[in-house]
Every structure is written in structure tokens, then in C-alpha cells.
């Protein structure tokens, strides 16, 4: 895995042990944890183990630290690769400077990498219906809501729907020249 940068100025670099402290700190943040749906208490040791897994298994998972300048602000991941279908799952979390467009820029950069270097046909994700900021970022990049998984997520002890979203390479190439609707709520 190598580092790459898109026009937004953010840079994606492979996660390594130097990112572990920030990652652990963010996983311990209740706001981040509630949107990710973490089921276990995060530990620094588990974080380091995950980084080692990513490093050792680039055919199974691609994990990148998002850098804004020299500051590590979050992570972006492609995993659950299906080589036969040319698909992978996407997920992201921003730990620093949320609400500034860094997540959208990192999403676009990772999707570019997935369709370019990795030769994927489709990238998919799931997001709970209450994460409006993320849904709008995904729509803006070109993802489409393809389905609803009813009561699939626990948010603050309540069951909420999850959107299954996907983007095809052709959608992504088109999205840079067309307006994408903004999601408010359903």
C-alpha cells in the first residue's frame, strides 16, 4: 500500500503504529463510538493488533490514515473484498476537525483509489439513518441509497434503520459533473 493524495489537499497514508494513539483516543470518544456502533471497549492493544492485521493482509483490508497537512484527522478503510464481483465495503471515521469537509474529501480519495488502483466495480457501505452529515457526504460523492435494513442498528439504546449505499465506477465518474440531492431525513 502506498500513500496518495487528491486535489483536496488531504493525504491518505497506510495506517501504522504511529497512528495507534490517535485511533484509540477517537474510539474512546462517545460521539464517534455511537455512530460506529462499537460493541467492545476499545484498547490501545486492540488498536495496535488491528493495525498489524491491516499491514499483514492488504488483500483483505486497506486501511489509511487521513492527514490534513501533517495532522492525523481520521481513518478510511476498504475491506470485505469480493474479487469475483469486484466489490468492497467502505467505512470512515473522522476524529479531528469534523464538519470541515475532510471526511467528504477522504471518501472521494478512497473511492478514486478503489476504482483506479484496485480496479473495483462497486464500493458499498452501511450508515444509520441518523448520521445525516455522513449520508450527505456519501450522496455528494455519488453513492446511492440502494436499500434499507430495518432496525439494524442500536443508537442510544433505540433501534434505527440502516441505509445500504453503493457506488458504481460509472456513477462516480458521472458524479463530479452533476448535482447530487441533499438528504434531510426520512
Amino acid at each position: 500500500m502506498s500513500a496518495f493524495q487528491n486535489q483536496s489537499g488531504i493525504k491518505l497514508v497506510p495506517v501504522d503504529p504511529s497512528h495507534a494513539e490517535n485511533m484509540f483516543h477517537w474510539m474512546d470518544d462517545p460521539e464517534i463510538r455511537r455512530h460506529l456502533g462499537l460493541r467492545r471497549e476499545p484498547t490501545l492493544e486492540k488498536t495496535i493488533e488491528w493495525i498489524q492485521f491491516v499491514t499483514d493482509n492488504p488483500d483483505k483490508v486497506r486501511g489509511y490514515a487521513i492527514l490534513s497537512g501533517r495532522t492525523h484527522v481520521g481513518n478510511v478503510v476498504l475491506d470485505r473484498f469480493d474479487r469475483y464481483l469486484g466489490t468492497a465495503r467502505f467505512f470512515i471515521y473522522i476524529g479531528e476537525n469534523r464538519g470541515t469537509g475532510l471526511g467528504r474529501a477522504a471518501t472521494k480519495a478512497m473511492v478514486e483509489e478503489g476504482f483506479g488502483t484496485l480496479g473495483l466495480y462497486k464500493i458499498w457501505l452501511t450508515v444509520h439513518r441518523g448520521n445525516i452529515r455522513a449520508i450527505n457526504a456519501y450522496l455528494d460523492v455519488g453513492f446511492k441509497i440502494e436499500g434499507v435494513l430495518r432496525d439494524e442498528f442500536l443508537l442510544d439504546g433505540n433501534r434505527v434503520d440502516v441505509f445500504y449505499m453503493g457506488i458504481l465506477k460509472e456513477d462516480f465518474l458521472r458524479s463530479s459533473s452533476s448535482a447530487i440531492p441533499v438528504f434531510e431525513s426520512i
Side-chain angles (χ1 to χ4, degrees), residues 24 27-28 33 38-43 46:
F24 168 65
M27 290 297 106
D28 212 27
R33 289 174 62 175
L38 292 182
R39 295 178 183 202
R40 295 185 199 122
E41 285 294 315
T43 67
K46 287 179 193 172

Side-chain angles (χ1 to χ4, degrees), residues 58-131:
D59 57 323
K60 293 182 180 179
V61 60
R62 299 287 177 111
Y64 292 90
I66 304 164
L67 302 181
S68 177
R70 293 184 179 166
T71 304
H72 179 205
V73 297
N75 291 328
V76 63
V77 176
L78 285 174
D79 68 358
R80 298 193 185 175
F81 290 101
D82 183 323
R83 300 294 179 193
Y84 180 75
L85 293 176
T87 63
R89 177 182 70 163
F90 170 86
F91 73 89
I92 185 172
Y93 62 90
I94 302 296
E96 306 287 336
N97 303 321
R98 284 179 254 168
T100 63
L102 292 171
R104 188 175 313 231
T107 299
K108 186 173 183 181
M110 192 64 163
V111 170
E112 286 172 353
E113 176 75 357
F115 291 137
T117 304
L118 300 177
L120 294 172
Y121 176 78
K122 179 180 183 174
I123 298 171
W124 61 274
L125 62 87
T126 58
V127 58
H128 70 78
R129 72 180 301 134
N131 197 345

Side-chain angles (χ1 to χ4, degrees), residues 15 43 54 64 77 103 108 115 119 135 143 150 165-166 171 182:
V15 292
T43 67
V54 170
Y64 292 90
V77 176
K108 186 173 183 181
F115 291 137
I135 294 166
F143 282 86
R150 298 179 313 139
M165 299 180 75
D171 295 337
V182 174

